[in-house]
Amino acid sequence: MPGATSMVVIGITALIVFGPSKLPDIGRAFGHSLREFKNAAEGIIQDDDKQTPENTAKDKEEKS
């Protein structure tokens, strides 16, 4: 995990490369992407919780 000094260097480098006008847009896009990823991961976890071995066995018995 990067330390505080590394984060400052990354921030200054991003400011120089992208400029102050583009930096908020890039941060916003990153936030939206992170939120979508988190929601998708939660959906996968919820689907896995619904299909526990007991539920899967019951489903197989009901189908036969």
Side-chain angles (χ1 to χ4, degrees), residues 22-36:
K22 290 284 184 179
L23 214 51
D25 294 333
I26 293 169
R28 194 173 300 114
F30 179 73
H32 287 293
S33 299
L34 193 60
R35 187 179 320 127
E36 286 181 29

Side-chain angles (χ1 to χ4, degrees), residues 8-31:
V8 170
V9 170
I10 291 170
I12 291 172
T13 304
L15 187 61
I16 291 170
V17 171
F18 297 113
S21 61
K22 290 284 184 179
L23 214 51
D25 294 333
I26 293 169
R28 194 173 300 114
F30 179 73

